[in-house]
Amino acid sequence: MAMNKKTKKDNKVKEIEESSVLVKPISRFGGLDNIHLAMLILITILIATLLLVSYSSPIAYNQTAKNNTQHCPYYVNSSCITPTHNSSEVLMAASTLLASYTYLNSSLSILPFYTNISKAKVSFIPLQDAWYVSVPSSPPPNNATFYINMVISDKNLSAITPFIEMTRPSTNNRNYVVSDGVIQIYGKSSCASSNKTEMYWFMDPYSPGAISSLNKMIELENYFGSSLNLTPEMMFSPQYSGTVASVHGNNNTRALGSYIYCASKEPQFPNFVSALESAYSGSYLSPNTLYLLARSSGMNMTSLSSCLSSSYSAINAQNYFSNYENIVSSVAVVTDCQYLAIPQTAMQSVCYANSSLCAK
């Protein structure tokens, strides 16, 4: 009896074991066994690896066309043209040309002081390998704007063809226009040694417009007050004072400059300028006439005479100073020892040299 009971139990266990082999329950992997699951993971890794390699590898293509499109500024007959110089360098060459007109003995000498270099337009001409520059200018008397145009070679920026004259002014100066009415004197720097802005009023007293320009000088002194140290500087050019001196002698001719220089140190200087302007007609003024004009202006004749007696060396020094600053035409205004202007643009030169004075 005991043996039969054990047999039944063993048979039941055997039946259960055989059933578990034939019918396997669905697991959390969807019924996949370990081998198939490992193969699926391996395939997935291979696909991911291929994708990674394909996206990270550089794409081989012809970069010449793309580089030409991005970096070639101009095309001429399918050829890439790249300028040797840039627009800033070209504009500096144009500014230098404009400044050189101040040394011409003609009405063009005032042209640089009425050009607005900040509004100049610069364009490259690939077919000519040259630059086209157009600078607006508004000279007196009507201040109507016209354009100074020029073509500048890209290979040689000194090869300039201006359209206001067929030839470039003959000069070795390297000055250049920096602002409306202001020229930077090449090689000169600031002479500021105090809180005052220095201004030198270079003039040949017998040159056209010199005497009348003194009113502009007084106007600037009144406007800027003690912030501006303004000094009249006498120079003697051959075509003006030189012509007078050939008739009346050097000492008599220089008397006009000496009186202007010494009178400028006196409070009554505006009165003297007014009297001088009314008496001057563009011709020679004798020392005696100048003495009478000074006395009628209410000047202190004692201090004036003292200055006149020692003015000869001072006037000579001023004449040398004009040569140092390379001043060849009258009237010329130099601000802060480095900025050249004319009486009509002297205000702009002060503002350019010291913008804080013009903030008001």
Side-chain angles (χ1 to χ4, degrees):
M1 294 294 292
M3 182 176 294
N4 291 337
K5 186 178 180 179
K6 181 178 180 182
T7 301
K8 290 180 179 180
K9 184 178 179 181
D10 290 342
N11 290 338
K12 187 176 181 180
V13 171
K14 185 176 181 181
E15 288 177 0
I16 292 175
E17 288 179 351
E18 290 177 353
S19 297
S20 64
V21 174
L22 295 176
V23 182
K24 196 170 186 178
I26 298 176
S27 67
R28 57 191 179 95
F29 296 114
L32 297 175
D33 56 22
N34 292 337
I35 296 176
H36 289 86
L37 182 62
M39 291 181 64
L40 182 61
I41 293 175
L42 179 60
I43 292 172
T44 303
I45 292 174
L46 289 173
I47 294 175
T49 303
L50 290 173
L51 290 174
L52 178 62
V53 171
S54 64
Y55 278 103
S56 61
S57 300
I59 300 174
Y61 64 95
N62 187 350
Q63 295 194 26
T64 303
K66 183 176 181 180
N67 287 342
N68 286 343
T69 303
Q70 289 182 347
H71 302 298
C72 183
Y74 305 97
Y75 277 101
V76 175
N77 297 327
S78 300
S79 297
C80 180
I81 303 297
T82 303
T84 303
H85 300 90
N86 57 44
S87 58
S88 297
E89 294 170 330
V90 173
L91 191 58
M92 174 60 75
S95 300
T96 303
L97 171 74
L98 289 172
S100 66
Y101 278 92
T102 58
Y103 294 91
L104 290 180
N105 188 19
S106 71
S107 59
L108 289 175
S109 62
I110 67 169
L111 194 60
F113 301 104
Y114 293 96
T115 56
N116 193 337
I117 199 69
S118 64
K119 293 186 178 180
K121 296 181 180 179
V122 181
S123 304
F124 183 64
I125 311 173
L127 285 173
Q128 298 183 23
D129 195 20
W131 295 83
Y132 181 81
V133 181
S134 183
V135 186
S137 180
S138 304
N142 55 10
N143 295 325
T145 300
F146 75 98
Y147 289 86
I148 303 172
N149 304 312
M150 62 192 80
V151 173
I152 304 177
S153 170
D154 184 52
K155 294 181 179 178
N156 181 8
L157 293 184
S158 62
I160 305 176
T161 303
F163 295 157
I164 50 177
E165 279 192 339
M166 291 309 296
T167 57
R168 176 176 176 163
S170 178
T171 177
N172 294 323
N173 95 92
R174 297 166 70 179
N175 300 347
Y176 53 95
V177 178
V178 292
S179 181
D180 188 13
V182 186
I183 292 175
Q184 170 75 57
I185 303 176
Y186 178 77
K188 306 300 179 184
S189 57
S190 174
C191 59
S193 57
S194 64
N195 294 329
K196 294 184 178 182
T197 298
E198 300 289 339
M199 175 177 280
Y200 302 99
W201 205 270
F202 291 96
M203 57 182 290
D204 182 329
Y206 283 104
S207 65
I211 300 301
S212 60
S213 76
L214 294 173
N215 287 311
K216 185 65 177 179
M217 190 178 82
I218 295 171
E219 179 184 328
L220 289 171
E221 285 183 317
N222 292 336
Y223 184 84
F224 291 107
S226 59
S227 298
L228 182 66
N229 186 24
L230 205 160
T231 308
E233 303 283 338
M234 299 303 116
M235 54 182 289
F236 299 97
S237 49
Q239 64 268 41
Y240 302 120
S241 286
T243 301
V244 176
S246 64
V247 178
H248 301 281
N250 286 329
N251 290 339
N252 288 334
T253 301
R254 295 194 175 205
L256 178 56
S258 295
Y259 267 87
I260 293 174
Y261 167 72
C262 291
S264 67
K265 301 177 179 294
E266 302 293 331
Q268 295 81 14
F269 181 58
N271 296 338
F272 176 75
V273 170
S274 179
L276 180 62
E277 193 172 22
S278 63
Y280 182 71
S281 60
S283 58
Y284 169 69
L285 289 176
S286 67
N288 185 57
T289 301
L290 293 168
Y291 176 84
L292 294 175
L293 291 174
R295 191 173 67 177
S296 67
S297 302
M299 303 197 74
N300 186 328
M301 299 307 294
T302 302
S303 60
L304 180 65
S305 297
S306 176
C307 176
L308 289 171
S309 63
S310 61
S311 65
Y312 187 82
S313 59
I315 298 299
N316 279 340
Q318 291 181 348
N319 198 46
Y320 285 122
F321 186 37
S322 67
N323 293 330
Y324 171 77
E325 291 289 348
N326 201 21
I327 306 299
V328 297
S329 61
S330 174
V331 178
V333 181
V334 174
T335 305
D336 196 22
C337 295
Q338 59 178 325
Y339 300 116
L340 179 64
I342 55 177
Q344 295 86 343
T345 63
M347 174 75 78
Q348 288 97 306
S349 69
V350 176
C351 295
Y352 188 84
N354 190 347
S355 59
S356 64
L357 295 180
C358 302
K360 56 182 180 181

PDB file of all heavy atoms in Angstrom, residues 107-130:
ATOM      1  N   SER A 107      41.719 129.545 -56.149  1.00  0.00           N
ATOM      2  CA  SER A 107      40.521 129.470 -55.308  1.00  0.00           C
ATOM      3  C   SER A 107      40.297 128.061 -54.780  1.00  0.00           C
ATOM      4  O   SER A 107      39.554 127.861 -53.813  1.00  0.00           O
ATOM      5  CB  SER A 107      39.296 129.927 -56.106  1.00  0.00           C
ATOM      6  OG  SER A 107      39.126 129.118 -57.261  1.00  0.00           O
ATOM      7  N   LEU A 108      40.935 127.053 -55.391  1.00  0.00           N
ATOM      8  CA  LEU A 108      40.788 125.679 -54.920  1.00  0.00           C
ATOM      9  C   LEU A 108      41.461 125.448 -53.574  1.00  0.00           C
ATOM     10  O   LEU A 108      41.249 124.415 -52.948  1.00  0.00           O
ATOM     11  CB  LEU A 108      41.375 124.709 -55.951  1.00  0.00           C
ATOM     12  CG  LEU A 108      40.601 124.549 -57.263  1.00  0.00           C
ATOM     13  CD1 LEU A 108      41.377 123.665 -58.218  1.00  0.00           C
ATOM     14  CD2 LEU A 108      39.217 123.989 -57.022  1.00  0.00           C
ATOM     15  N   SER A 109      42.258 126.390 -53.124  1.00  0.00           N
ATOM     16  CA  SER A 109      42.992 126.206 -51.869  1.00  0.00           C
ATOM     17  C   SER A 109      42.065 126.115 -50.661  1.00  0.00           C
ATOM     18  O   SER A 109      42.448 125.572 -49.627  1.00  0.00           O
ATOM     19  CB  SER A 109      44.001 127.333 -51.669  1.00  0.00           C
ATOM     20  OG  SER A 109      43.338 128.580 -51.571  1.00  0.00           O
ATOM     21  N   ILE A 110      40.850 126.663 -50.772  1.00  0.00           N
ATOM     22  CA  ILE A 110      39.913 126.588 -49.634  1.00  0.00           C
ATOM     23  C   ILE A 110      39.030 125.350 -49.722  1.00  0.00           C
ATOM     24  O   ILE A 110      38.259 125.066 -48.795  1.00  0.00           O
ATOM     25  CB  ILE A 110      39.033 127.848 -49.541  1.00  0.00           C
ATOM     26  CG1 ILE A 110      38.069 127.928 -50.743  1.00  0.00           C
ATOM     27  CG2 ILE A 110      39.874 129.103 -49.425  1.00  0.00           C
ATOM     28  CD1 ILE A 110      36.997 128.979 -50.586  1.00  0.00           C
ATOM     29  N   LEU A 111      39.129 124.617 -50.821  1.00  0.00           N
ATOM     30  CA  LEU A 111      38.250 123.474 -51.042  1.00  0.00           C
ATOM     31  C   LEU A 111      38.284 122.439 -49.915  1.00  0.00           C
ATOM     32  O   LEU A 111      37.228 121.967 -49.473  1.00  0.00           O
ATOM     33  CB  LEU A 111      38.600 122.813 -52.371  1.00  0.00           C
ATOM     34  CG  LEU A 111      37.595 121.822 -52.944  1.00  0.00           C
ATOM     35  CD1 LEU A 111      36.265 122.519 -53.192  1.00  0.00           C
ATOM     36  CD2 LEU A 111      38.129 121.222 -54.231  1.00  0.00           C
ATOM     37  N   PRO A 112      39.459 122.057 -49.391  1.00  0.00           N
ATOM     38  CA  PRO A 112      39.484 121.023 -48.347  1.00  0.00           C
ATOM     39  C   PRO A 112      38.710 121.393 -47.087  1.00  0.00           C
ATOM     40  O   PRO A 112      38.249 120.503 -46.370  1.00  0.00           O
ATOM     41  CB  PRO A 112      40.977 120.877 -48.031  1.00  0.00           C
ATOM     42  CG  PRO A 112      41.694 121.475 -49.169  1.00  0.00           C
ATOM     43  CD  PRO A 112      40.805 122.520 -49.738  1.00  0.00           C
ATOM     44  N   PHE A 113      38.569 122.666 -46.826  1.00  0.00           N
ATOM     45  CA  PHE A 113      37.920 123.093 -45.586  1.00  0.00           C
ATOM     46  C   PHE A 113      36.395 123.060 -45.678  1.00  0.00           C
ATOM     47  O   PHE A 113      35.712 123.314 -44.695  1.00  0.00           O
ATOM     48  CB  PHE A 113      38.393 124.497 -45.216  1.00  0.00           C
ATOM     49  CG  PHE A 113      39.883 124.589 -45.030  1.00  0.00           C
ATOM     50  CD1 PHE A 113      40.690 125.159 -46.000  1.00  0.00           C
ATOM     51  CD2 PHE A 113      40.478 124.073 -43.899  1.00  0.00           C
ATOM     52  CE1 PHE A 113      42.060 125.239 -45.837  1.00  0.00           C
ATOM     53  CE2 PHE A 113      41.853 124.137 -43.726  1.00  0.00           C
ATOM     54  CZ  PHE A 113      42.641 124.716 -44.701  1.00  0.00           C
ATOM     55  N   TYR A 114      35.888 122.767 -46.857  1.00  0.00           N
ATOM     56  CA  TYR A 114      34.440 122.701 -47.037  1.00  0.00           C
ATOM     57  C   TYR A 114      34.000 121.332 -47.553  1.00  0.00           C
ATOM     58  O   TYR A 114      32.949 121.197 -48.160  1.00  0.00           O
ATOM     59  CB  TYR A 114      33.972 123.810 -47.985  1.00  0.00           C
ATOM     60  CG  TYR A 114      34.150 125.187 -47.407  1.00  0.00           C
ATOM     61  CD1 TYR A 114      35.273 125.947 -47.713  1.00  0.00           C
ATOM     62  CD2 TYR A 114      33.216 125.725 -46.517  1.00  0.00           C
ATOM     63  CE1 TYR A 114      35.456 127.212 -47.163  1.00  0.00           C
ATOM     64  CE2 TYR A 114      33.397 126.979 -45.972  1.00  0.00           C
ATOM     65  CZ  TYR A 114      34.510 127.720 -46.294  1.00  0.00           C
ATOM     66  OH  TYR A 114      34.688 128.969 -45.740  1.00  0.00           O
ATOM     67  N   THR A 115      34.816 120.316 -47.313  1.00  0.00           N
ATOM     68  CA  THR A 115      34.462 118.949 -47.690  1.00  0.00           C
ATOM     69  C   THR A 115      34.087 118.160 -46.444  1.00  0.00           C
ATOM     70  O   THR A 115      34.693 118.316 -45.394  1.00  0.00           O
ATOM     71  CB  THR A 115      35.636 118.251 -48.400  1.00  0.00           C
ATOM     72  OG1 THR A 115      36.789 118.293 -47.564  1.00  0.00           O
ATOM     73  CG2 THR A 115      35.943 118.928 -49.727  1.00  0.00           C
ATOM     74  N   ASN A 116      33.090 117.338 -46.593  1.00  0.00           N
ATOM     75  CA  ASN A 116      32.626 116.511 -45.471  1.00  0.00           C
ATOM     76  C   ASN A 116      33.112 115.081 -45.695  1.00  0.00           C
ATOM     77  O   ASN A 116      32.441 114.260 -46.324  1.00  0.00           O
ATOM     78  CB  ASN A 116      31.095 116.557 -45.388  1.00  0.00           C
ATOM     79  CG  ASN A 116      30.581 115.988 -44.071  1.00  0.00           C
ATOM     80  OD1 ASN A 116      31.253 115.208 -43.413  1.00  0.00           O
ATOM     81  ND2 ASN A 116      29.384 116.378 -43.689  1.00  0.00           N
ATOM     82  N   ILE A 117      34.294 114.797 -45.187  1.00  0.00           N
ATOM     83  CA  ILE A 117      34.921 113.505 -45.423  1.00  0.00           C
ATOM     84  C   ILE A 117      34.157 112.368 -44.741  1.00  0.00           C
ATOM     85  O   ILE A 117      34.229 111.218 -45.169  1.00  0.00           O
ATOM     86  CB  ILE A 117      36.396 113.529 -44.943  1.00  0.00           C
ATOM     87  CG1 ILE A 117      37.193 112.377 -45.592  1.00  0.00           C
ATOM     88  CG2 ILE A 117      36.476 113.500 -43.432  1.00  0.00           C
ATOM     89  CD1 ILE A 117      37.393 112.549 -47.061  1.00  0.00           C
ATOM     90  N   SER A 118      33.401 112.683 -43.693  1.00  0.00           N
ATOM     91  CA  SER A 118      32.654 111.637 -42.983  1.00  0.00           C
ATOM     92  C   SER A 118      31.496 111.092 -43.819  1.00  0.00           C
ATOM     93  O   SER A 118      30.974 110.019 -43.531  1.00  0.00           O
ATOM     94  CB  SER A 118      32.122 112.186 -41.653  1.00  0.00           C
ATOM     95  OG  SER A 118      31.186 113.226 -41.880  1.00  0.00           O
ATOM     96  N   LYS A 119      31.087 111.826 -44.861  1.00  0.00           N
ATOM     97  CA  LYS A 119      29.994 111.377 -45.717  1.00  0.00           C
ATOM     98  C   LYS A 119      30.482 110.926 -47.089  1.00  0.00           C
ATOM     99  O   LYS A 119      29.696 110.810 -48.032  1.00  0.00           O
ATOM    100  CB  LYS A 119      28.951 112.488 -45.860  1.00  0.00           C
ATOM    101  CG  LYS A 119      28.209 112.796 -44.565  1.00  0.00           C
ATOM    102  CD  LYS A 119      27.079 113.789 -44.790  1.00  0.00           C
ATOM    103  CE  LYS A 119      26.315 114.035 -43.484  1.00  0.00           C
ATOM    104  NZ  LYS A 119      25.200 115.005 -43.691  1.00  0.00           N
ATOM    105  N   ALA A 120      31.772 110.693 -47.199  1.00  0.00           N
ATOM    106  CA  ALA A 120      32.331 110.242 -48.474  1.00  0.00           C
ATOM    107  C   ALA A 120      31.866 108.817 -48.780  1.00  0.00           C
ATOM    108  O   ALA A 120      31.657 108.006 -47.879  1.00  0.00           O
ATOM    109  CB  ALA A 120      33.856 110.307 -48.421  1.00  0.00           C
ATOM    110  N   LYS A 121      31.714 108.526 -50.062  1.00  0.00           N
ATOM    111  CA  LYS A 121      31.329 107.193 -50.508  1.00  0.00           C
ATOM    112  C   LYS A 121      32.486 106.570 -51.279  1.00  0.00           C
ATOM    113  O   LYS A 121      33.055 107.205 -52.168  1.00  0.00           O
ATOM    114  CB  LYS A 121      30.076 107.268 -51.379  1.00  0.00           C
ATOM    115  CG  LYS A 121      28.843 107.764 -50.625  1.00  0.00           C
ATOM    116  CD  LYS A 121      27.621 107.795 -51.529  1.00  0.00           C
ATOM    117  CE  LYS A 121      26.384 108.287 -50.758  1.00  0.00           C
ATOM    118  NZ  LYS A 121      25.189 108.349 -51.635  1.00  0.00           N
ATOM    119  N   VAL A 122      32.823 105.334 -50.933  1.00  0.00           N
ATOM    120  CA  VAL A 122      33.952 104.632 -51.535  1.00  0.00           C
ATOM    121  C   VAL A 122      33.444 103.337 -52.171  1.00  0.00           C
ATOM    122  O   VAL A 122      32.783 102.539 -51.505  1.00  0.00           O
ATOM    123  CB  VAL A 122      35.047 104.320 -50.495  1.00  0.00           C
ATOM    124  CG1 VAL A 122      36.218 103.620 -51.142  1.00  0.00           C
ATOM    125  CG2 VAL A 122      35.495 105.596 -49.797  1.00  0.00           C
ATOM    126  N   SER A 123      33.759 103.135 -53.452  1.00  0.00           N
ATOM    127  CA  SER A 123      33.312 101.938 -54.161  1.00  0.00           C
ATOM    128  C   SER A 123      34.469 101.369 -54.983  1.00  0.00           C
ATOM    129  O   SER A 123      35.261 102.131 -55.555  1.00  0.00           O
ATOM    130  CB  SER A 123      32.135 102.262 -55.093  1.00  0.00           C
ATOM    131  OG  SER A 123      31.075 102.859 -54.380  1.00  0.00           O
ATOM    132  N   PHE A 124      34.534 100.043 -55.036  1.00  0.00           N
ATOM    133  CA  PHE A 124      35.572  99.393 -55.829  1.00  0.00           C
ATOM    134  C   PHE A 124      35.058  99.112 -57.229  1.00  0.00           C
ATOM    135  O   PHE A 124      33.904  98.694 -57.412  1.00  0.00           O
ATOM    136  CB  PHE A 124      36.015  98.093 -55.161  1.00  0.00           C
ATOM    137  CG  PHE A 124      37.137  97.392 -55.873  1.00  0.00           C
ATOM    138  CD1 PHE A 124      38.383  97.995 -55.981  1.00  0.00           C
ATOM    139  CD2 PHE A 124      36.949  96.137 -56.442  1.00  0.00           C
ATOM    140  CE1 PHE A 124      39.430  97.365 -56.638  1.00  0.00           C
ATOM    141  CE2 PHE A 124      37.982  95.493 -57.092  1.00  0.00           C
ATOM    142  CZ  PHE A 124      39.227  96.112 -57.197  1.00  0.00           C
ATOM    143  N   ILE A 125      35.921  99.327 -58.242  1.00  0.00           N
ATOM    144  CA  ILE A 125      35.570  99.073 -59.638  1.00  0.00           C
ATOM    145  C   ILE A 125      36.434  97.901 -60.116  1.00  0.00           C
ATOM    146  O   ILE A 125      37.602  98.101 -60.487  1.00  0.00           O
ATOM    147  CB  ILE A 125      35.824 100.306 -60.518  1.00  0.00           C
ATOM    148  CG1 ILE A 125      35.210 101.563 -59.880  1.00  0.00           C
ATOM    149  CG2 ILE A 125      35.273 100.109 -61.915  1.00  0.00           C
ATOM    150  CD1 ILE A 125      35.558 102.843 -60.593  1.00  0.00           C
ATOM    151  N   PRO A 126      35.912  96.677 -60.108  1.00  0.00           N
ATOM    152  CA  PRO A 126      36.732  95.505 -60.437  1.00  0.00           C
ATOM    153  C   PRO A 126      37.330  95.551 -61.843  1.00  0.00           C
ATOM    154  O   PRO A 126      38.474  95.150 -62.049  1.00  0.00           O
ATOM    155  CB  PRO A 126      35.748  94.337 -60.294  1.00  0.00           C
ATOM    156  CG  PRO A 126      34.659  94.847 -59.419  1.00  0.00           C
ATOM    157  CD  PRO A 126      34.536  96.304 -59.729  1.00  0.00           C
ATOM    158  N   LEU A 127      36.575  96.027 -62.820  1.00  0.00           N
ATOM    159  CA  LEU A 127      37.053  96.035 -64.201  1.00  0.00           C
ATOM    160  C   LEU A 127      38.279  96.922 -64.387  1.00  0.00           C
ATOM    161  O   LEU A 127      39.114  96.672 -65.253  1.00  0.00           O
ATOM    162  CB  LEU A 127      35.936  96.490 -65.141  1.00  0.00           C
ATOM    163  CG  LEU A 127      34.831  95.461 -65.428  1.00  0.00           C
ATOM    164  CD1 LEU A 127      33.701  96.095 -66.226  1.00  0.00           C
ATOM    165  CD2 LEU A 127      35.388  94.255 -66.159  1.00  0.00           C
ATOM    166  N   GLN A 128      38.381  97.969 -63.566  1.00  0.00           N
ATOM    167  CA  GLN A 128      39.512  98.891 -63.674  1.00  0.00           C
ATOM    168  C   GLN A 128      40.555  98.671 -62.592  1.00  0.00           C
ATOM    169  O   GLN A 128      41.590  99.341 -62.580  1.00  0.00           O
ATOM    170  CB  GLN A 128      39.012 100.344 -63.617  1.00  0.00           C
ATOM    171  CG  GLN A 128      38.080 100.727 -64.740  1.00  0.00           C
ATOM    172  CD  GLN A 128      37.681 102.189 -64.683  1.00  0.00           C
ATOM    173  OE1 GLN A 128      38.379 103.009 -64.093  1.00  0.00           O
ATOM    174  NE2 GLN A 128      36.555 102.524 -65.292  1.00  0.00           N
ATOM    175  N   ASP A 129      40.259  97.755 -61.658  1.00  0.00           N
ATOM    176  CA  ASP A 129      41.146  97.538 -60.517  1.00  0.00           C
ATOM    177  C   ASP A 129      41.446  98.867 -59.833  1.00  0.00           C
ATOM    178  O   ASP A 129      42.597  99.220 -59.556  1.00  0.00           O
ATOM    179  CB  ASP A 129      42.449  96.868 -60.959  1.00  0.00           C
ATOM    180  CG  ASP A 129      43.229  96.289 -59.777  1.00  0.00           C
ATOM    181  OD1 ASP A 129      42.609  96.068 -58.718  1.00  0.00           O
ATOM    182  OD2 ASP A 129      44.441  96.090 -59.903  1.00  0.00           O
ATOM    183  N   ALA A 130      40.389  99.607 -59.578  1.00  0.00           N
ATOM    184  CA  ALA A 130      40.516 100.949 -59.014  1.00  0.00           C
ATOM    185  C   ALA A 130      39.325 101.232 -58.107  1.00  0.00           C
ATOM    186  O   ALA A 130      38.332 100.500 -58.103  1.00  0.00           O
ATOM    187  CB  ALA A 130      40.603 101.993 -60.119  1.00  0.00           C
TER     188      ALA A 130
END
